[in-house]
Structure formats: C-alpha cells, structure tokens
Amino acid sequence: MPAPIRLRELIRTIRTARTQAEEREMIQKECAAIRSSFREEDNTYRCRNVAKLLYMHMLGYPAHFGQLECLKLIASQKFTDKRIGYLGAMLLLDERQDVHLLMTNCIKNDLNHSTQYVQGLALCTLGCMGSSEMCRDLAGEVEKLLKTSNSYLRKKAALCAVHVIRKVPELMEMFLPATKNLLSEKNHGVLHTSVVLLTEMCERSPDMLAHFRKLVPQLVRILKNLIMSGYSPEHDVSGISDPFLQVRILRLLRILGKSDDDSSEAMNDILAQVATNTETSKNVGNAILYETVLTIMDIKSESGLRVLAINILGRFLLNNDKNIRYVALTSLLKTVQTDHNAVQRHRSTIVDCLKDLDVSIKRRAMELSFALVNGNNIRGMMKELLYFLDSCDPEFKADCASGVFLAAEKYAPSKRWHIDTIMRVLTTAGSYVRDDSVPNLIQLITNSVEMHAYTVQRLYKALLDDISQQPLVQVASWCIGEYGDLLVSGQCEEEEPIQVTEDEVLDVLEGLLVSNLSTPVTRGYSLTAIMKLSTRFSGVNRIKKVVSIYGSSIDVELQQRAVEYNALFKKYDHMRPALLERMPIMEKSASNGPTEIAQTNGETELSVVESKHPLPITQPANQANDLLDLLGGNDVVPVIQTTMPTKPASAGGELLDLLGDLSLSGGPAPAPSVPSSQPSFLLDGLSSQPLFNDIAAAAIPPMTAYNKNGLKIDFTFERANPNPNIAVITIHASNSTEADMTDFVFQAAVPKTFQLQLLSPSSNVVPALNQGTVTQVIRVLNPQKQQLRMRIKLTYTLKGSPVQDLAEVNNFPPQSWQ
Amino acid sequence: MIKSILIFNNHGKPRLIRFYQYFAEEMQQQIIRETFHLVSKRDDNVCNFLEGGSLIGGSDYKLIYRHYATLYFVFCVDSSESELGILDLIQVFVETLDKCFENVCELDLIFHMDKVHYILQEVVMGGMVLETNMNEIVAQVELQNRMEKSEGGLSAAPARAVSAVKNMNLPEIPRNINIGDINIKVPSLSPF
C-alpha cells in the first residue's frame, strides 16, 4: 500500500478539476483510499489522512467516517496527532453523536498534561463543543486551571468556564471563588476573558450581579489606567491602548450599573472622561465611543451625561464613514423611547439619511423617522416620508406604507389631510399596502361624514387615471357604490366639483369588471358597488343587465353575488332600498373590529342562509333544517339550539356575535349538571319561578302556549332591561302523565323579522305527575315591533316510545311585543 | 457571541468555515451559499453590516464582513458583540495571518487550511474573543508549530533532515507564492 498522498498534493489535484463532476470523482477516489488506510490502522499516516478529510469536509463532502479516527488521534502521544485530532473533533463531532463522549477521558488526561499547549488544545475543544455531560465531568479541572498562574492557560480556562456555565448553569457557583482575583491580573488576555466570564455570570444570575457590583471601583480603575497610561507598544492599536479591553469593560459596567444608583454614580466620571478624551478619527476610537454612549444610556446617568451621549451620536450621523452612521442610527432607535426630545434635535439629519444610497442605512433611518413623528412635526415629516415612499425600493414600500398609515391615524391634523395622505399612498405604492389597510380605510372614510363628497370625487379621478393598483381600486369602487349620488350631483365643497354622469360612473365600474388587471376580490367589490347604485341612480335597467350577465360568470363568488342581486331585483324589490341604504358609522372596537363588521354588514347582508353563521354543533343544524322544511321554506331564521343541558351557555354565546347590539347579561344560569329528578334540584327550579312570575306578573301576563297529551308549556315574560326590543320568555314545561318524559327537547322558530336565541334548558327530563318543571329561556329580538308569532316543536320519550309534536303559538299578549 | 466565521473568495468557494453552533452539513453549505449571495451583491462603499439571512438565525444576528481583494471575511455575530469591535477584530485576524504567512495571499489559505484554523483558534474560542494582541497570538502559534515540526509535522515524513527537505519541494514554493492575480494586499493599519 503506497503512502497516502499529502494534503498539499490532494489540494493541488482537486484544483485542477475543471468541472464539479471531475472534482467529485477525484474526491471519491481519495475517500476510498483514506477509508482503506483507516481500516489498516495505520498510525503514521493517520494525521495526514484526517487533514485531507477535513479539507474535503470544508468543500462540502461527507466526512463522518473520520470521526472515530479523530478520537484515535487525540489519544496518541504526539502533539501533531493531537492537534489535528482535536481540530477534527471540533469540526466533525458534536454532542448529537454519542461518539463524542469517548473523548471525555482523553480530554481529562490532557487537561493535566505537562505541556501547556496540549492543555490549551483540550480546553479549546471542551470550550467549543463540550456537551453538558462532559462539562459536568470536567468542570472541576477547568476550575483548577482557572487558578493557575500560567496566563496562557488561564485565559483559555476562563472562556471554557463560560461555555460550561452556558451548558450547565447550576455549576456557576463553582467558579465563584476563582473569580476573586481575576481582575488583578496584569496580562490583558486574561483580563479580557475574565471580564467576559464576569459578564456571563452577571447576565445569568441576579445574585451574581449584586455580588459583583463591588467590583465597579476596580473596573473603573483599570479603565482609567488604560486611558491615561500613554503609549504602550504591545497593546496599542492606532494610538489607543487595548481598545478591545476598554470596550469589554464598558459593556460590563453597563450591566452592573443598570438599575443601581450607587454604581452608576461611581461610573459617571470615567464615562465622561472616556467620552471626551477618545480620539474619533479612527474606527477604534469610534468603537469605544459607541460603547460608552450605549452604557451612558443604559445606566442611571445624570442628564448632562445623557445629553453628551446623544450629541456624540448626532456627530456620528454626520461622519462620512457609513459604518458609523449605521451604528449611530441603530443606537438612536434604541434611545428614542426614553430621550425623545434630545433625539428630536437631530431630526433633520436623520431625515437626510433617508436619501442615502446604502440600503441598511435607509432602513434604519426610516424606522427612526417613524419613531420621531409627533403632533408637531407631522406635516413636515409626512412630506419627507411620502417623498421617500415614491423613490424607495420595493422591499421598503410595504413597511413604509403601513408606517405612514399608522402615523397619519395617530397625528392627523385634519380629516382632509388624512384622506389626502391616504390617497397619496394608495396612488404611489398602492400594490404594496397590506391587506388589512383596505377595510381600515373604508372605515375611516365612512366615519368622516363631511368628507364623503370630496373623497369620492378624488377617488373617482384616481380611478380614471389608473386601475392597476388593487387596494386603491377596491376602496374607490366601494366609495363610489356608497356615495355615487354625491358624485353625480356635484356637491363637493372642498374642491372644484367635476361633472359626471351616471353612465360615466357605470362605465368605469363595468370597466373594472372586465379588466384583466382586476383580481376576483376587486371584481366582487365593483359588482356590489354597481348594485348599490341601483338605489342611488335613476336608471336601473343598465344595472339590471350587468347583474344578470354575471349570473353565469365562471368565478363562483361573482356568480353567487350576481344571482342573489338578481333575486333582489325580481322577488324582493320591496326590500332593496332598505338593504342597500347607506352604511352606518362603524364602531372601532379593536383593530380587527371593523373588518368583521364590514364583512357581516356589507357583503353578506343579502345572503341569510350563508355559512358565515357559526354552527357550534351539527346536530341542531340538522334539526334546524328540519324545522325549515316543516315551516315551508324561506321565511324563518334557523335557530341554534342547545340540546343537552350539559352544554355551557357559551354555545349560545356565539349567537351573541350575530345579534350585534344585544347586550346579554347572561340570563338565568343554565343547569350545568346531569339531568336528575332530585327534588332539591327541582325545588331550585321551582323557587326561581316565583321570582319570574312576580316580575312577569307586574309587567306582562304569562300564557299557556301548548297543552296536549299531558304536556303543558307555559310562557312567562320579562323585558331585558338594557334593550326594550328584547323580550325574555321563560318556558315552563310540566308533565301531568304518570311517567317521566325523558329526552325532552324544545325547539322554536320565529318569522324572519325576529331573531331568537334559546339558552340551555334546566334539564331534559320532565318529571311525571307535575312534580317539577323544565325551564328554558328564550330571548327574542323584535326591532320592528311586529306581532310575535312562534312555531314550536317538541320531542320527548314517554314510556319508551318517542313522541313528536308541532304547534303554532299566536296568542302572545300584546305587551310582549309592543 | 460569534456564531460562525466564513472566508470565501469572490466566486463563493469556501476557504475556511468555522461554526460555533451546530448545523448539519447540508445546512452549512447552504448558509455559505446564502451568505455569499448576500455579501457579493453589496457595493464597495456601503456599510459593512448586514442583517443576516433567514437561514442563519433570525432577528438577533448580523453579518459583519470585510472584503480584501479576492476574499470575503464574514463574521456572523449576535447583539452581545460590538459591531465596530468585530470590524477591528477582522482586521487583527488578517494582520495576524499576514505576519504568520509573510504577505499572505489566497493560496496560503488554500494550501494551509489547517494552519489557518490553528491561528483562528488562538483568536476566537467557543464563539468568544480570546486574544486580540497580535504579537501574542503569533508567538503562541510559532511555538506550537515548532513543536509539531520537531515531531515531523503533518506529513509525518521521517525525521531525517534530508528527506524532510526533499519533501518540502523547495524550488516550487517561491513560484507558488508570486502568482500575481491572487495576491492580497493587506494595507498596514490604515483601515483603522
């Protein structure tokens, strides 16, 4: 077996490959050679082979068969072997493979090796990829090395300790005694890593934080020495003494001083000194200044210092170096919440950064500008931001548009300005606005009543120019549908009114329907708008024609709408004006609120039997459908019924959403437990009755709704206090036969102008011989004060056989519905 | 914490990859490709900070990079590191390479990948900065190299001097170094 080729040879060979396939072939050949060499357990050349394997791994080829070989190398006595072995372990192994645990013993031995470089290798490997088991086993060794006087090992041990703490936080206490004199080291490497270790401990545990606060004076002293010490050749970087260490110490000071007055006090002087003395002509100086500023902002510094910090940031903004400007913008963003006024002073510089060529800077400047907008500067800022929106990259447009909307909503000086701003955004970045902005805008427009004519006119003009931006088109067609009459009558006060005829408006809307640029959603909007105009415009025939054409559209959504509108023209023409009248002002309950209301009121009003009504259980739905069949079709609203008494009242609660302004305060509590015929339970039911009777007697007399085959159902009435349109009816079902009626279910249906809600019954067993009653509460909404009529269906099981009955209840006392 | 250190050339070929957090192999290669894609698009006079791509982990991570002639040095860090500080660190690392390899160029990185790893190990350990003093780093690396050489080095050639010299391919080395178009000019200290 010839000696395996050297790493150098391999690299040279691979580099001659001209295609990916050639390279792959070479590598596969070499892998095969390496594999057979491993099998032969060749000790001399193992390190060479592993080195080659690592190279191939870097190029992206699989190298897992070398993992065990790395372990063998680590166990070898030669330094070379160990070096490449540990490197291989760090690159190829990780805690997911069980193989790595085999390393633990080797590392333990190596941590106690006589050569410091071997110890260093072991520490390095443990600190990079040590798993929690390994860390637990070896933490003691690491702690020992933390106390050694060898600075090379000490600094590595410190970072290894950080890794151990990250993996096994409970071990943090173990390292506490070793930290005692870490800071008195002279060696900067050790100081640096010690500060890192202290930082990690403070971040993880508030107790440690409190404990280490006493180190603040020492840290301040070290920092002072660094600044004042003058030129020290070994640590000098561009005239500044060990900037990395300064930055680390400043960071630790930040954590220590964060909410603590005393520590912050102790730091004030040194921070001011660093801030004023550091040279800013080179990057290192700026790095230190930047860190100082961040520290000043985070601790409880005095206000003079804070102003100094923000001024430094302001100076950074004017620097030519892009990195500095980026960093300044980032920190200003962090501080704008707390020191708003100070940052405002730099507003003009920030706005200038919007015009920078660098994408990262532009993004930061945009975020910061939105944070700086307030009531005073809204007009000026908005001008700049809109200009930015015009010219920025597409990736920014969505965020910028949302930001503009939010800012306009919070600080708009006048409604007209608000609408103008929105129009501007829609016309310039219309295709990038988020989906929820359309309903929000519609709600905004509806609520600014006096601006309707102006708005619809501007939107119409915008539509004439360009119909490609969907959100704009959707909002415009909705407005034209609502306020088309204002448009045609030329009533606009704010602007010169334009002369538009009805036909022109319909031309535009029909154009939207046929255009290729319109999405299906937009088409839906424009069809509905055309329909609404049928009540606002005089000429209806054209509209009728359009609507009937789309009755056979391929798009199902469009077809459904067209068919329903057609039906509206044909069968329900008397209802059309009522249905298509102006939208009321919408309540803005939550940011999602308007969307829901808009959906239910606007687009689905016409289709009553649509599946937008939430049906909590399928069974009642079937029963409801039965009722519908029974009661002959379309003139009844299906009622959602809770069949089992165990169903909580919240099922009925879903109806509450549909009923909109019904403020239901929960009514009498439905019985939650299993139906039983225990007297105590019935007594409860009974005892609640007199209450009702009293109230009912005072207001409305009770009545008997049904009395047949031993089952008697009485109705008692009550008005729900907050809303006089709601009548609360309690049914009392009693059974005069000799056997109990089980599985008793009461259902009711009312004509369409009413709405009905059934709460859970008290039980579904009506005890025999009038021993008790089943009560159930019905709430009826009767906004039009029409005569209350009801059809009821009763099902129960008597003596093992099921019984079903239907009845109509017409004898409601007049007071119950007037 | 430093999440990863990547060095690749202008065509995206990796010259050194080091991850301080576990990623599967395919993931690693994908990260390299994505990072190269992001970084190569950048103009030369924009800032050196990039929000990281979606692969390498979300909102807290930034890419800080420096472009030296044909090589990109990219450090992926989280918010606990100072951005400007990392820029300086990259500079220190490159200058250290320069000292160790005598006018380092891309070929040095290609053929001595293991040595570059060893140097890096003295600068960054476990994702954290270990030593920033150039002279210190160089001294330690030198000592370790000497130990390795005394054992015969990676090539594990016989310890006899003659064969060692023969195997070093002395005549070829100077020619390799001076291939002009792949030379990195590391300006001394002026980027600071």
Side-chain angles (χ1 to χ4, degrees):
Chain A
M1 174 84 201
I5 64 174
R6 270 181 233 108
L7 175 61
R8 193 165 308 188
E9 296 293 328
L10 175 67
I11 298 178
R12 208 172 287 144
T13 321
I14 291 179
R15 276 167 65 77
T16 60
R18 252 161 303 169
T19 65
Q20 186 74 7
E22 251 184 87
E23 183 181 291
R24 215 175 309 140
E25 210 183 290
M26 292 176 187
I27 290 194
Q28 269 172 355
K29 213 168 71 169
E30 187 57 36
C31 276
I34 294 179
R35 255 190 278 241
S36 42
S37 178
F38 282 160
R39 244 174 286 137
E40 289 175 12
E41 298 285 334
D42 183 342
N43 285 339
T44 351
Y45 295 115
R46 192 179 283 132
C47 53
R48 189 190 286 190
N49 286 328
V50 169
K52 286 187 282 189
L53 204 54
L54 291 178
Y55 181 77
M56 294 190 284
H57 172 80
M58 179 180 79
L59 292 181
Y61 297 93
H64 44 272
F65 57 90
Q67 287 167 359
L68 265 176
E69 302 301 317
C70 293
L71 293 179
K72 291 188 200 154
L73 281 173
I74 293 175
S76 146
Q77 288 310 312
K78 291 170 62 176
F79 178 69
T80 316
D81 284 351
K82 283 190 193 277
R83 215 181 185 194
I84 194 79
Y86 275 120
L87 181 63
M90 282 191 271
L91 293 180
L92 296 179
L93 284 174
D94 67 274
E95 53 191 30
R96 270 153 243 253
Q97 282 108 12
D98 295 327
V99 181
H100 81 282
L101 284 170
L102 296 173
M103 272 200 296
T104 317
N105 215 24
C106 283
I107 295 188
K108 191 175 191 147
N109 292 335
D110 282 339
L111 281 175
N112 294 318
H113 205 273
S114 47
T115 317
Q116 63 170 1
Y117 294 113
V118 176
Q119 290 174 296
L121 281 177
L123 280 170
C124 188
T125 310
L126 183 60
C128 280
M129 41 84 68
S131 63
S132 15
E133 294 90 27
M134 286 170 76
C135 288
R136 243 184 271 265
D137 288 338
L138 299 170
E141 307 290 331
V142 176
E143 200 253 339
K144 223 170 27 173
L145 285 172
L146 197 50
K147 297 196 266 212
T148 174
S149 53
N150 182 332
S151 52
Y152 175 74
L153 289 177
R154 213 169 179 199
K155 69 186 185 193
K156 291 206 173 191
L159 284 190
C160 197
V162 175
H163 180 86
V164 169
I165 293 177
R166 281 191 186 156
K167 281 286 176 193
V168 191
E170 300 88 58
L171 291 174
M172 207 179 346
E173 261 92 60
M174 187 188 216
F175 294 105
L176 192 51
T179 61
K180 232 185 286 232
N181 47 8
L182 270 180
L183 285 184
S184 38
E185 258 283 349
K186 292 282 177 252
N187 181 303
H188 280 215
V190 179
L191 267 180
H192 184 104
T193 54
S194 313
V195 173
V196 173
L197 177 59
L198 291 173
T199 311
E200 181 73 22
M201 290 170 103
C202 290
E203 276 174 349
R204 288 203 169 245
S205 150
D207 297 327
M208 292 288 184
L209 184 60
H211 173 83
F212 284 126
R213 279 228 173 88
K214 61 179 198 267
L215 290 176
V216 170
Q218 209 175 352
L219 288 166
V220 169
R221 224 175 332 152
I222 298 176
L223 198 50
K224 203 169 199 153
N225 284 338
L226 283 174
I227 309 174
M228 311 297 253
S229 64
Y231 183 69
S232 131
E234 35 179 72
H235 302 297
D236 178 83
V237 181
S238 305
I240 298 187
S241 191
D242 207 339
F244 295 100
L245 184 57
Q246 290 192 34
V247 165
R248 279 275 167 223
I249 294 182
L250 285 166
R251 202 173 267 262
L252 181 56
L253 284 176
R254 188 183 336 159
I255 297 175
L256 290 175
K258 193 147 187 162
S259 333
D260 189 67
D261 289 325
D262 296 325
S263 316
S264 309
E265 178 103 22
M267 293 178 214
N268 271 326
D269 289 335
I270 191 68
L271 289 173
Q273 217 174 354
V274 174
T276 43
N277 284 354
T278 312
E279 263 229 23
T280 60
S281 52
K282 301 278 175 60
N283 189 49
V284 266
N286 288 324
I288 298 178
L289 269 182
Y290 174 51
E291 204 66 32
T292 316
V293 165
L294 287 179
T295 305
I296 294 177
M297 300 317 292
D298 259 357
I299 65 174
K300 293 183 176 244
S301 49
E302 45 187 40
S303 57
L305 207 50
R306 296 181 93 88
V307 172
L308 176 63
I310 298 210
N311 287 343
I312 292 178
L313 287 179
R315 245 186 307 145
F316 276 178
L317 277 179
L318 300 168
N319 196 311
N320 282 330
D321 188 345
K322 303 266 182 202
N323 297 327
I324 310 262
R325 273 198 273 168
Y326 174 88
V327 147
L329 286 171
T330 314
S331 9
L332 280 173
L333 195 55
K334 278 189 230 159
T335 62
V336 75
Q337 307 300 334
T338 44
D339 290 86
H340 195 90
N341 295 328
V343 182
Q344 282 282 358
R345 241 175 278 144
H346 301 282
R347 200 183 68 236
S348 48
T349 329
I350 294 170
V351 169
D352 278 337
C353 286
L354 281 174
K355 308 195 183 85
D356 201 298
L357 293 167
D358 184 338
V359 164
S360 311
I361 291 189
K362 269 203 277 210
R363 181 170 282 285
R364 286 277 181 272
M366 180 181 86
E367 286 168 7
L368 197 49
S369 306
F370 280 124
L372 284 178
V373 168
N374 64 20
N376 295 330
N377 57 27
I378 178 77
R379 281 188 197 267
M381 289 292 278
M382 200 50 85
K383 211 159 55 166
E384 293 288 334
L385 287 166
L386 286 173
Y387 181 70
F388 173 68
L389 185 61
D390 282 341
S391 53
C392 69
D393 301 325
E395 56 197 57
F396 286 118
K397 289 209 182 191
D399 292 327
C400 191
S402 319
V404 166
F405 284 147
L406 271 169
E409 203 173 297
K410 273 199 271 185
Y411 300 113
S414 73
K415 285 231 156 84
R416 169 166 176 173
W417 182 93
H418 196 168
I419 291 185
D420 279 342
T421 311
I422 291 175
M423 293 270 329
R424 175 88 185 270
V425 174
L426 284 180
T427 45
T428 52
S431 13
Y432 300 98
V433 300
R434 291 205 226 283
D435 295 331
D436 61 351
S437 50
V438 171
N440 285 341
L441 289 176
I442 290 180
Q443 192 236 352
L444 175 68
I445 294 173
T446 319
N447 288 348
S448 33
V449 177
E450 64 280 5
M451 304 296 306
H452 285 167
Y454 171 71
T455 314
V456 70
Q457 183 163 301
R458 286 212 57 192
L459 285 170
Y460 179 75
K461 283 200 274 194
L463 261 193
L464 288 177
D465 283 329
D466 168 28
I467 59 170
S468 63
Q469 313 212 56
Q470 297 305 300
L472 174 65
V473 172
Q474 286 168 10
V475 174
S477 45
W478 189 93
C479 282
I480 295 177
E482 278 292 304
Y483 311 120
D485 46 337
L486 295 175
L487 182 62
V488 177
S489 64
Q491 274 177 22
C492 181
E493 298 145 359
E494 308 267 344
E495 245 192 11
E496 186 69 35
I498 56 177
Q499 305 300 328
V500 186
T501 66
E502 293 181 3
D503 276 326
E504 285 173 348
V505 174
L506 287 174
D507 281 339
V508 169
L509 287 176
E510 282 185 45
L512 290 176
L513 275 176
V514 299
S515 161
N516 286 336
L517 296 166
S518 304
T519 63
V521 174
T522 312
R523 290 209 178 93
Y525 269 92
S526 54
L527 187 61
T528 309
I530 293 178
M531 188 59 194
K532 286 191 204 168
L533 289 176
S534 69
T535 47
R536 295 164 178 52
F537 282 0
S538 46
V540 183
N541 291 327
R542 182 172 173 185
I543 296 177
K544 274 196 201 169
K545 211 163 54 157
V546 172
V547 165
S548 62
I549 291 175
Y550 280 89
S552 47
S553 154
I554 297 181
D555 180 352
V556 177
E557 175 77 25
L558 220 49
Q559 189 188 97
Q560 181 177 11
R561 280 172 200 252
V563 165
E564 286 167 7
Y565 295 158
N566 237 345
L568 208 53
F569 272 125
K570 294 204 170 53
K571 278 203 278 181
Y572 299 100
D573 210 35
H574 55 282
M575 296 179 76
R576 195 164 44 87
L579 278 169
L580 297 177
E581 71 178 11
R582 279 256 207 284
M583 287 296 197
I585 297 188
M586 302 182 207
E587 281 300 315
K588 189 155 189 161
S589 49
S591 54
N592 282 330
T595 321
E596 287 169 6
I597 300 176
Q599 286 294 346
T600 48
N601 282 350
E603 313 307 314
T604 67
E605 229 178 66
L606 305 171
S607 40
V608 179
V609 201
E610 224 169 274
S611 56
K612 292 231 172 67
H613 298 253
L615 291 173
I617 332 157
T618 51
Q619 206 196 4
N622 292 335
Q623 293 168 344
N625 287 336
D626 292 342
L627 260 182
L628 270 183
D629 293 340
L630 250 25
L631 301 169
N634 290 334
D635 59 347
V636 211
V637 177
V639 169
I640 316 287
Q641 150 96 32
T642 57
T643 47
M644 286 132 338
T646 50
K647 197 92 174 83
S650 59
E654 269 144 55
L655 267 178
L656 285 175
D657 294 340
L658 289 178
L659 294 175
D661 57 348
L662 275 184
S663 49
L664 294 171
S665 42
S673 53
V674 170
S676 66
S677 42
Q678 290 156 10
S680 56
F681 186 76
L682 289 175
L683 264 171
D684 289 347
L686 272 175
S687 61
S688 65
Q689 267 188 49
L691 256 156
F692 272 112
N693 281 335
D694 285 340
I695 303 170
I700 308 161
M703 55 171 266
T704 302
Y706 174 90
N707 193 348
K708 221 159 91 174
N709 295 338
L711 176 63
K712 177 156 163 267
I713 300 203
D714 293 329
F715 282 2
T716 55
F717 299 91
E718 183 197 60
R719 284 249 173 254
N721 281 329
N723 190 334
N725 286 337
I726 300 179
V728 179
I729 307 172
T730 311
I731 66 152
H732 308 264
S734 54
N735 172 8
S736 56
T737 67
E738 289 154 3
D740 290 350
M741 293 174 174
T742 54
D743 300 323
F744 173 78
V745 173
F746 175 88
Q747 283 173 287
V750 287
K752 201 163 169 209
T753 46
F754 300 90
Q755 283 179 2
L756 187 116
Q757 185 200 14
L758 273 175
L759 300 178
S760 316
S762 58
S763 98
N764 62 2
V765 173
V766 191
L769 298 172
N770 290 329
Q771 281 171 17
T773 62
V774 168
T775 56
Q776 192 167 5
V777 176
I778 311 172
R779 302 175 84 117
V780 180
L781 173 67
N782 182 4
Q784 298 189 9
K785 303 263 188 223
Q786 293 189 354
Q787 182 185 19
L788 187 54
R789 296 182 297 129
M790 199 185 278
R791 277 194 195 156
I792 60 178
K793 178 173 169 191
L794 306 156
T795 47
Y796 53 91
T797 305
L798 183 61
K799 293 184 195 153
S801 49
V803 179
Q804 234 188 41
D805 201 359
L806 282 173
E808 186 154 337
V809 183
N810 288 326
N811 52 336
F812 284 89
Q815 301 99 309
S816 66
W817 45 269
Q818 268 167 357
Chain B
M1 176 174 154
I2 300 175
K3 197 165 183 186
S4 74
I5 297 181
L6 308 170
I7 307 180
F8 43 77
N9 72 356
N10 287 345
H11 303 294
K13 274 210 99 80
R15 295 301 174 214
L16 181 120
I17 55 174
R18 188 68 205 259
F19 286 90
Y20 292 102
Q21 193 170 326
Y22 172 70
F23 285 106
E25 255 94 47
E26 312 83 54
M27 198 60 169
Q28 289 185 1
Q29 292 296 318
Q30 210 174 341
I31 291 174
I32 297 173
R33 278 194 294 272
E34 187 178 297
T35 312
F36 168 66
H37 186 67
L38 282 170
V39 157
S40 57
K41 274 196 302 190
R42 305 274 286 176
D43 213 5
D44 268 338
N45 55 356
V46 299
C47 70
N48 299 76
F49 310 119
L50 262 179
E51 318 289 89
S54 53
L55 271 187
I56 203 158
S59 52
D60 199 18
Y61 290 92
K62 291 202 184 64
L63 293 172
I64 302 180
Y65 72 97
R66 277 199 116 132
H67 190 188
Y68 294 93
T70 60
L71 287 176
Y72 285 100
F73 286 71
V74 183
F75 280 44
C76 179
V77 305
D78 69 4
S79 55
S80 73
E81 299 287 337
S82 157
E83 294 101 335
L84 297 177
I86 293 288
L87 273 183
D88 290 332
L89 188 68
I90 299 181
Q91 182 69 21
V92 164
F93 180 46
V94 173
E95 288 194 19
T96 313
L97 287 177
D98 193 38
K99 278 221 168 81
C100 289
F101 284 104
E102 324 262 321
N103 277 330
V104 66
C105 64
E106 187 178 343
L107 273 181
D108 290 317
L109 297 190
I110 298 172
F111 281 97
H112 300 286
M113 180 201 99
D114 51 332
K115 295 221 174 15
V116 180
H117 265 293
Y118 297 145
I119 297 173
L120 186 58
Q121 246 165 250
E122 298 297 328
V123 182
V124 175
M125 183 178 125
M128 288 166 287
V129 178
L130 175 62
E131 177 66 64
T132 55
N133 185 325
M134 244 187 316
N135 298 322
E136 182 73 25
I137 301 170
V138 174
Q140 283 156 13
V141 170
E142 270 309 300
L143 282 171
Q144 294 186 60
N145 286 345
R146 222 171 288 163
M147 268 189 76
E148 212 181 279
K149 224 170 277 181
S150 70
E151 287 174 356
L154 201 53
S155 39
R160 291 173 54 190
V162 174
S163 17
V165 168
K166 198 163 96 180
N167 286 332
M168 262 168 28
N169 277 322
L170 263 175
E172 246 189 280
I173 291 180
R175 254 176 253 148
N176 280 342
I177 295 184
N178 284 330
I179 297 177
D181 58 323
I182 317 184
N183 226 327
I184 302 178
K185 287 188 180 44
V186 179
S188 52
L189 294 186
S190 46
F192 278 126

